[in-house]
Amino acid sequence: AEVLRSKSFGELTDEERARVAALIRALRLQVPVERTRRSRPASKGERFDLRRTLRRSLRTQGEPFDRAWRARTARRRPLVLILDISGSMAPYSRALMQFAYAAMAAGRRVETFAFGTRLTRVTRTLRTKDPDRALHEIGRQVEDWEGGTRIGESLKSLLDAWSQRAALRGAVVVLCSDGLERGDPELLRAQMARLRRLAYRVIWVTPLKGSPRYEPLARGMAAALPSVDLFVSGHNLESLEDLAATLGG
């Protein structure tokens, strides 16, 4: 088990890949909570509930002995996964899709998109109870699997369609890619800045960071990094376990 946790996804045998996939699907993800403007009755809170206190005082001849309070409610933040399934990510993309399948258990406020040269929403497909069937169906839906890479254009499609939706505003966004952009790096820079203004936190996951000699010098990665809050590795099971723990931090 220790060997499998530290072994790169690109070096796994078919049997090991199946075992690792099961371990990834068993991960439990937690996302941060946000305090909403709505409040609810509470035994202690930051707001005095005058209306409820007055109602209670009717039982004690108008004396407000039993004071009431209200506290703001909390809910989990949205989680958005954006997965690179281009040719350069081929050794890792299926493992990352398994991670997305595990993320579905974190609640209904989870969205998953796949991209190569275009963006495809795969959230509904990942909701199925059969992970193998889900991956097979995604392989059929995504026409550009193991094709080229257009990160900037794909992000623009996402932001143009989803920037006004609650699923993206205040979300924890996890973008999994090696950053080998084939499009305009300035477009990627602009779209990452847009995404950063909308999201609560932007995490970039790259399998290349698993190498101690890696430096983010590719033009796409260099353009994106100024808008990234956390830059982590995603090349093996151990790194995905760390990512799952990081999401709730």
Short mmCIF file of all heavy atoms in Angstrom, two decimals, residues 110-156:
data_model
loop_
_atom_site.label_atom_id
_atom_site.label_comp_id
_atom_site.label_asym_id
_atom_site.label_seq_id
_atom_site.Cartn_x
_atom_site.Cartn_y
_atom_site.Cartn_z
N VAL A 110 -21.07 20.56 -6.00
CA VAL A 110 -19.82 20.18 -6.66
C VAL A 110 -20.05 20.15 -8.16
O VAL A 110 -21.02 19.55 -8.63
CB VAL A 110 -19.33 18.79 -6.17
CG1 VAL A 110 -18.02 18.42 -6.88
CG2 VAL A 110 -19.14 18.78 -4.67
N GLU A 111 -19.19 20.82 -8.91
CA GLU A 111 -19.26 20.83 -10.37
C GLU A 111 -17.93 20.36 -10.93
O GLU A 111 -16.86 20.73 -10.42
CB GLU A 111 -19.57 22.23 -10.90
CG GLU A 111 -20.99 22.70 -10.64
CD GLU A 111 -22.01 22.03 -11.55
OE1 GLU A 111 -21.60 21.38 -12.53
OE2 GLU A 111 -23.22 22.16 -11.26
N THR A 112 -17.97 19.56 -11.99
CA THR A 112 -16.76 19.06 -12.63
C THR A 112 -16.82 19.33 -14.13
O THR A 112 -17.83 19.05 -14.78
CB THR A 112 -16.58 17.56 -12.38
OG1 THR A 112 -16.57 17.30 -10.97
CG2 THR A 112 -15.27 17.07 -12.98
N PHE A 113 -15.71 19.85 -14.65
CA PHE A 113 -15.57 20.13 -16.08
C PHE A 113 -14.29 19.48 -16.58
O PHE A 113 -13.28 19.43 -15.87
CB PHE A 113 -15.51 21.63 -16.35
CG PHE A 113 -16.73 22.39 -15.89
CD1 PHE A 113 -16.82 22.85 -14.57
CD2 PHE A 113 -17.79 22.63 -16.75
CE1 PHE A 113 -17.94 23.56 -14.14
CE2 PHE A 113 -18.90 23.34 -16.33
CZ PHE A 113 -18.98 23.79 -15.02
N ALA A 114 -14.33 18.99 -17.81
CA ALA A 114 -13.14 18.45 -18.47
C ALA A 114 -12.83 19.32 -19.68
O ALA A 114 -13.74 19.86 -20.31
CB ALA A 114 -13.38 17.00 -18.89
N PHE A 115 -11.55 19.46 -19.98
CA PHE A 115 -11.20 20.27 -21.14
C PHE A 115 -9.92 19.76 -21.79
O PHE A 115 -9.05 19.17 -21.15
CB PHE A 115 -11.01 21.75 -20.75
CG PHE A 115 -9.72 22.03 -20.01
CD1 PHE A 115 -8.57 22.39 -20.70
CD2 PHE A 115 -9.65 21.93 -18.64
CE1 PHE A 115 -7.38 22.63 -20.04
CE2 PHE A 115 -8.47 22.18 -17.96
CZ PHE A 115 -7.33 22.53 -18.66
N GLY A 116 -9.85 19.97 -23.08
CA GLY A 116 -8.64 19.79 -23.86
C GLY A 116 -8.53 21.02 -24.75
O GLY A 116 -7.90 22.00 -24.41
N THR A 117 -9.23 20.95 -25.88
CA THR A 117 -9.36 22.12 -26.74
C THR A 117 -10.70 22.82 -26.53
O THR A 117 -10.90 23.91 -27.05
CB THR A 117 -9.24 21.72 -28.21
OG1 THR A 117 -10.23 20.72 -28.52
CG2 THR A 117 -7.85 21.15 -28.50
N ARG A 118 -11.61 22.18 -25.79
CA ARG A 118 -12.92 22.77 -25.50
C ARG A 118 -13.37 22.27 -24.13
O ARG A 118 -12.81 21.33 -23.58
CB ARG A 118 -13.93 22.40 -26.58
CG ARG A 118 -14.37 20.96 -26.56
CD ARG A 118 -15.00 20.52 -27.86
NE ARG A 118 -13.99 20.39 -28.90
CZ ARG A 118 -14.26 19.93 -30.12
NH1 ARG A 118 -15.50 19.62 -30.45
NH2 ARG A 118 -13.30 19.80 -31.01
N LEU A 119 -14.40 22.90 -23.61
CA LEU A 119 -14.88 22.60 -22.26
C LEU A 119 -16.11 21.70 -22.32
O LEU A 119 -17.01 21.92 -23.13
CB LEU A 119 -15.23 23.90 -21.53
CG LEU A 119 -15.57 23.79 -20.05
CD1 LEU A 119 -14.29 23.60 -19.24
CD2 LEU A 119 -16.31 25.03 -19.57
N THR A 120 -16.15 20.69 -21.44
CA THR A 120 -17.30 19.79 -21.35
C THR A 120 -17.68 19.61 -19.88
O THR A 120 -16.83 19.26 -19.05
CB THR A 120 -16.98 18.40 -21.96
OG1 THR A 120 -16.52 18.55 -23.29
CG2 THR A 120 -18.22 17.52 -21.94
N ARG A 121 -18.94 19.84 -19.55
CA ARG A 121 -19.42 19.63 -18.18
C ARG A 121 -19.75 18.14 -18.00
O ARG A 121 -20.51 17.57 -18.79
CB ARG A 121 -20.66 20.47 -17.92
CG ARG A 121 -21.24 20.32 -16.50
CD ARG A 121 -22.38 21.29 -16.28
NE ARG A 121 -22.94 21.19 -14.95
CZ ARG A 121 -24.13 20.64 -14.67
NH1 ARG A 121 -24.88 20.17 -15.66
NH2 ARG A 121 -24.57 20.58 -13.43
N VAL A 122 -19.17 17.52 -16.96
CA VAL A 122 -19.36 16.08 -16.74
C VAL A 122 -19.96 15.79 -15.37
O VAL A 122 -19.93 14.66 -14.90
CB VAL A 122 -18.02 15.32 -16.92
CG1 VAL A 122 -17.52 15.44 -18.36
CG2 VAL A 122 -16.96 15.83 -15.95
N THR A 123 -20.52 16.80 -14.73
CA THR A 123 -21.03 16.65 -13.37
C THR A 123 -22.11 15.58 -13.30
O THR A 123 -22.06 14.69 -12.44
CB THR A 123 -21.61 17.99 -12.87
OG1 THR A 123 -20.60 19.00 -12.97
CG2 THR A 123 -22.09 17.87 -11.44
N ARG A 124 -23.10 15.66 -14.16
CA ARG A 124 -24.22 14.71 -14.09
C ARG A 124 -23.76 13.28 -14.33
O ARG A 124 -24.25 12.35 -13.68
CB ARG A 124 -25.28 15.11 -15.12
CG ARG A 124 -26.00 16.40 -14.79
CD ARG A 124 -27.07 16.70 -15.82
NE ARG A 124 -27.78 17.94 -15.49
CZ ARG A 124 -28.74 18.47 -16.25
NH1 ARG A 124 -29.11 17.86 -17.37
NH2 ARG A 124 -29.32 19.61 -15.88
N THR A 125 -22.82 13.10 -15.21
CA THR A 125 -22.33 11.75 -15.49
C THR A 125 -21.63 11.15 -14.28
O THR A 125 -21.76 9.95 -13.99
CB THR A 125 -21.38 11.78 -16.70
OG1 THR A 125 -22.01 12.43 -17.78
CG2 THR A 125 -21.00 10.37 -17.12
N LEU A 126 -20.90 11.96 -13.54
CA LEU A 126 -20.17 11.48 -12.37
C LEU A 126 -21.09 11.19 -11.18
O LEU A 126 -20.65 10.61 -10.20
CB LEU A 126 -19.12 12.50 -11.95
CG LEU A 126 -17.88 12.60 -12.85
CD1 LEU A 126 -17.01 13.78 -12.44
CD2 LEU A 126 -17.08 11.32 -12.82
N ARG A 127 -22.35 11.59 -11.26
CA ARG A 127 -23.29 11.33 -10.17
C ARG A 127 -23.74 9.87 -10.13
O ARG A 127 -24.34 9.44 -9.16
CB ARG A 127 -24.53 12.21 -10.33
CG ARG A 127 -24.28 13.70 -10.14
CD ARG A 127 -24.18 14.07 -8.70
NE ARG A 127 -23.98 15.51 -8.52
CZ ARG A 127 -23.42 16.05 -7.47
NH1 ARG A 127 -22.99 15.27 -6.49
NH2 ARG A 127 -23.26 17.36 -7.37
N THR A 128 -23.46 9.09 -11.18
CA THR A 128 -23.91 7.70 -11.20
C THR A 128 -23.19 6.89 -10.13
O THR A 128 -22.09 7.22 -9.70
CB THR A 128 -23.65 7.08 -12.59
OG1 THR A 128 -24.11 5.73 -12.58
CG2 THR A 128 -22.17 7.08 -12.92
N LYS A 129 -23.81 5.80 -9.70
CA LYS A 129 -23.24 4.96 -8.64
C LYS A 129 -22.15 4.02 -9.18
O LYS A 129 -21.41 3.44 -8.39
CB LYS A 129 -24.35 4.14 -7.98
CG LYS A 129 -25.37 4.99 -7.22
CD LYS A 129 -26.41 4.12 -6.55
CE LYS A 129 -27.41 4.98 -5.78
NZ LYS A 129 -28.44 4.14 -5.11
N ASP A 130 -22.06 3.86 -10.49
CA ASP A 130 -21.09 2.95 -11.09
C ASP A 130 -19.93 3.78 -11.66
O ASP A 130 -20.08 4.42 -12.71
CB ASP A 130 -21.75 2.13 -12.20
CG ASP A 130 -20.83 1.06 -12.76
OD1 ASP A 130 -19.60 1.16 -12.55
OD2 ASP A 130 -21.32 0.13 -13.42
N PRO A 131 -18.75 3.79 -11.02
CA PRO A 131 -17.65 4.63 -11.50
C PRO A 131 -17.13 4.22 -12.87
O PRO A 131 -16.76 5.07 -13.68
CB PRO A 131 -16.58 4.47 -10.42
CG PRO A 131 -16.92 3.18 -9.74
CD PRO A 131 -18.41 3.06 -9.79
N ASP A 132 -17.08 2.91 -13.15
CA ASP A 132 -16.60 2.45 -14.45
C ASP A 132 -17.53 2.90 -15.57
O ASP A 132 -17.08 3.32 -16.64
CB ASP A 132 -16.46 0.92 -14.45
CG ASP A 132 -15.38 0.45 -13.48
OD1 ASP A 132 -14.39 1.18 -13.31
OD2 ASP A 132 -15.54 -0.64 -12.90
N ARG A 133 -18.82 2.81 -15.31
CA ARG A 133 -19.78 3.26 -16.30
C ARG A 133 -19.69 4.77 -16.51
O ARG A 133 -19.80 5.26 -17.63
CB ARG A 133 -21.20 2.88 -15.85
CG ARG A 133 -22.29 3.30 -16.82
CD ARG A 133 -23.66 2.91 -16.30
NE ARG A 133 -24.72 3.37 -17.18
CZ ARG A 133 -26.01 3.22 -16.93
NH1 ARG A 133 -26.39 2.61 -15.81
NH2 ARG A 133 -26.91 3.66 -17.77
N ALA A 134 -19.46 5.50 -15.41
CA ALA A 134 -19.33 6.96 -15.51
C ALA A 134 -18.14 7.34 -16.38
O ALA A 134 -18.26 8.20 -17.26
CB ALA A 134 -19.19 7.56 -14.12
N LEU A 135 -16.99 6.70 -16.16
CA LEU A 135 -15.80 7.02 -16.94
C LEU A 135 -15.98 6.64 -18.41
O LEU A 135 -15.51 7.34 -19.31
CB LEU A 135 -14.59 6.32 -16.36
CG LEU A 135 -14.09 6.86 -15.01
CD1 LEU A 135 -12.89 6.06 -14.53
CD2 LEU A 135 -13.73 8.33 -15.12
N HIS A 136 -16.65 5.52 -18.65
CA HIS A 136 -16.91 5.11 -20.02
C HIS A 136 -17.79 6.13 -20.73
O HIS A 136 -17.55 6.49 -21.90
CB HIS A 136 -17.57 3.73 -20.04
CG HIS A 136 -17.92 3.25 -21.41
ND1 HIS A 136 -16.98 2.77 -22.30
CD2 HIS A 136 -19.12 3.21 -22.06
CE1 HIS A 136 -17.59 2.44 -23.43
NE2 HIS A 136 -18.88 2.70 -23.31
N GLU A 137 -18.82 6.62 -20.02
CA GLU A 137 -19.73 7.59 -20.61
C GLU A 137 -19.02 8.93 -20.85
O GLU A 137 -19.25 9.59 -21.87
CB GLU A 137 -20.93 7.79 -19.69
CG GLU A 137 -22.00 8.72 -20.23
CD GLU A 137 -22.66 8.22 -21.49
OE1 GLU A 137 -22.58 7.00 -21.77
OE2 GLU A 137 -23.24 9.04 -22.22
N ILE A 138 -18.14 9.31 -19.92
CA ILE A 138 -17.39 10.56 -20.11
C ILE A 138 -16.47 10.44 -21.31
O ILE A 138 -16.32 11.39 -22.10
CB ILE A 138 -16.59 10.89 -18.83
CG1 ILE A 138 -17.54 11.33 -17.72
CG2 ILE A 138 -15.56 11.99 -19.09
CD1 ILE A 138 -16.88 11.51 -16.38
N GLY A 139 -15.84 9.29 -21.49
CA GLY A 139 -14.99 9.07 -22.66
C GLY A 139 -15.76 9.22 -23.96
O GLY A 139 -15.21 9.64 -24.98
N ARG A 140 -17.06 8.87 -23.92
CA ARG A 140 -17.89 9.01 -25.11
C ARG A 140 -18.32 10.47 -25.31
O ARG A 140 -18.41 10.95 -26.45
CB ARG A 140 -19.13 8.12 -24.99
CG ARG A 140 -19.98 8.03 -26.24
CD ARG A 140 -21.23 7.21 -25.98
NE ARG A 140 -22.10 7.86 -25.01
CZ ARG A 140 -22.95 8.84 -25.33
NH1 ARG A 140 -23.03 9.29 -26.58
NH2 ARG A 140 -23.72 9.37 -24.40
N GLN A 141 -18.58 11.18 -24.21
CA GLN A 141 -19.03 12.56 -24.29
C GLN A 141 -17.93 13.53 -24.71
O GLN A 141 -18.16 14.46 -25.49
CB GLN A 141 -19.59 13.02 -22.94
CG GLN A 141 -20.89 12.36 -22.52
CD GLN A 141 -21.31 12.80 -21.13
OE1 GLN A 141 -20.63 13.60 -20.49
NE2 GLN A 141 -22.43 12.27 -20.66
N VAL A 142 -16.74 13.33 -24.16
CA VAL A 142 -15.64 14.28 -24.38
C VAL A 142 -14.97 13.96 -25.70
O VAL A 142 -14.23 12.98 -25.82
CB VAL A 142 -14.63 14.22 -23.21
CG1 VAL A 142 -13.49 15.20 -23.46
CG2 VAL A 142 -15.32 14.53 -21.90
N GLU A 143 -15.18 14.80 -26.69
CA GLU A 143 -14.68 14.53 -28.04
C GLU A 143 -13.18 14.80 -28.18
O GLU A 143 -12.55 14.28 -29.09
CB GLU A 143 -15.45 15.38 -29.05
CG GLU A 143 -16.94 15.07 -29.08
CD GLU A 143 -17.69 15.95 -30.05
OE1 GLU A 143 -17.04 16.83 -30.67
OE2 GLU A 143 -18.91 15.77 -30.21
N ASP A 144 -12.62 15.62 -27.30
CA ASP A 144 -11.21 15.99 -27.44
C ASP A 144 -10.31 15.31 -26.41
O ASP A 144 -9.28 15.85 -26.03
CB ASP A 144 -11.05 17.51 -27.38
CG ASP A 144 -11.63 18.10 -26.09
OD1 ASP A 144 -12.44 17.42 -25.43
OD2 ASP A 144 -11.28 19.23 -25.75
N TRP A 145 -10.71 14.13 -25.94
CA TRP A 145 -9.90 13.40 -24.97
C TRP A 145 -8.53 13.08 -25.59
O TRP A 145 -8.44 12.56 -26.69
CB TRP A 145 -10.60 12.11 -24.56
CG TRP A 145 -10.00 11.46 -23.34
CD1 TRP A 145 -8.82 10.80 -23.28
CD2 TRP A 145 -10.55 11.42 -22.02
NE1 TRP A 145 -8.59 10.34 -22.01
CE2 TRP A 145 -9.63 10.70 -21.22
CE3 TRP A 145 -11.72 11.91 -21.45
CZ2 TRP A 145 -9.86 10.46 -19.86
CZ3 TRP A 145 -11.94 11.66 -20.10
CH2 TRP A 145 -11.03 10.95 -19.32
N GLU A 146 -7.46 13.39 -24.86
CA GLU A 146 -6.07 13.17 -25.29
C GLU A 146 -5.77 13.91 -26.60
O GLU A 146 -5.01 13.43 -27.43
CB GLU A 146 -5.76 11.67 -25.41
CG GLU A 146 -5.84 10.95 -24.08
CD GLU A 146 -5.34 9.52 -24.15
OE1 GLU A 146 -4.83 9.11 -25.21
OE2 GLU A 146 -5.47 8.82 -23.14
N GLY A 147 -6.35 15.09 -26.75
CA GLY A 147 -6.06 15.94 -27.89
C GLY A 147 -5.14 17.08 -27.49
O GLY A 147 -4.23 16.91 -26.68
N GLY A 148 -5.39 18.27 -28.04
CA GLY A 148 -4.57 19.44 -27.74
C GLY A 148 -5.00 20.11 -26.44
O GLY A 148 -5.85 19.61 -25.70
N THR A 149 -4.37 21.25 -26.15
CA THR A 149 -4.64 21.97 -24.90
C THR A 149 -4.93 23.43 -25.19
O THR A 149 -4.09 24.12 -25.76
CB THR A 149 -3.43 21.89 -23.94
OG1 THR A 149 -2.97 20.54 -23.86
CG2 THR A 149 -3.81 22.38 -22.56
N ARG A 150 -6.10 23.89 -24.77
CA ARG A 150 -6.49 25.30 -24.89
C ARG A 150 -7.06 25.72 -23.54
O ARG A 150 -8.28 25.78 -23.35
CB ARG A 150 -7.52 25.50 -26.01
CG ARG A 150 -7.02 25.23 -27.41
CD ARG A 150 -6.09 26.34 -27.89
NE ARG A 150 -5.73 26.18 -29.30
CZ ARG A 150 -4.70 25.47 -29.73
NH1 ARG A 150 -3.95 24.82 -28.86
NH2 ARG A 150 -4.41 25.40 -31.02
N ILE A 151 -6.18 25.99 -22.59
CA ILE A 151 -6.62 26.29 -21.23
C ILE A 151 -7.36 27.62 -21.18
O ILE A 151 -8.43 27.74 -20.60
CB ILE A 151 -5.44 26.29 -20.24
CG1 ILE A 151 -4.59 25.03 -20.39
CG2 ILE A 151 -5.94 26.42 -18.80
CD1 ILE A 151 -3.34 25.02 -19.55
N GLY A 152 -6.77 28.65 -21.80
CA GLY A 152 -7.37 29.97 -21.76
C GLY A 152 -8.75 30.00 -22.40
O GLY A 152 -9.70 30.56 -21.84
N GLU A 153 -8.90 29.38 -23.56
CA GLU A 153 -10.19 29.36 -24.25
C GLU A 153 -11.22 28.56 -23.45
O GLU A 153 -12.40 28.93 -23.39
CB GLU A 153 -10.03 28.76 -25.65
CG GLU A 153 -9.18 29.63 -26.58
CD GLU A 153 -8.94 28.97 -27.92
OE1 GLU A 153 -9.69 28.02 -28.25
OE2 GLU A 153 -8.01 29.38 -28.62
N SER A 154 -10.79 27.47 -22.84
CA SER A 154 -11.71 26.65 -22.04
C SER A 154 -12.18 27.41 -20.80
O SER A 154 -13.36 27.37 -20.44
CB SER A 154 -11.03 25.35 -21.63
OG SER A 154 -10.65 24.59 -22.76
N LEU A 155 -11.27 28.13 -20.14
CA LEU A 155 -11.66 28.93 -18.99
C LEU A 155 -12.61 30.05 -19.40
O LEU A 155 -13.54 30.38 -18.65
CB LEU A 155 -10.42 29.52 -18.31
CG LEU A 155 -9.59 28.56 -17.46
CD1 LEU A 155 -8.38 29.30 -16.88
CD2 LEU A 155 -10.42 27.95 -16.34
N LYS A 156 -12.37 30.64 -20.56
CA LYS A 156 -13.27 31.69 -21.03
C LYS A 156 -14.68 31.15 -21.24
O LYS A 156 -15.67 31.79 -20.88
CB LYS A 156 -12.75 32.31 -22.32
CG LYS A 156 -13.54 33.54 -22.79
CD LYS A 156 -12.92 34.16 -24.02
CE LYS A 156 -13.61 35.48 -24.38
NZ LYS A 156 -15.06 35.35 -24.55
#
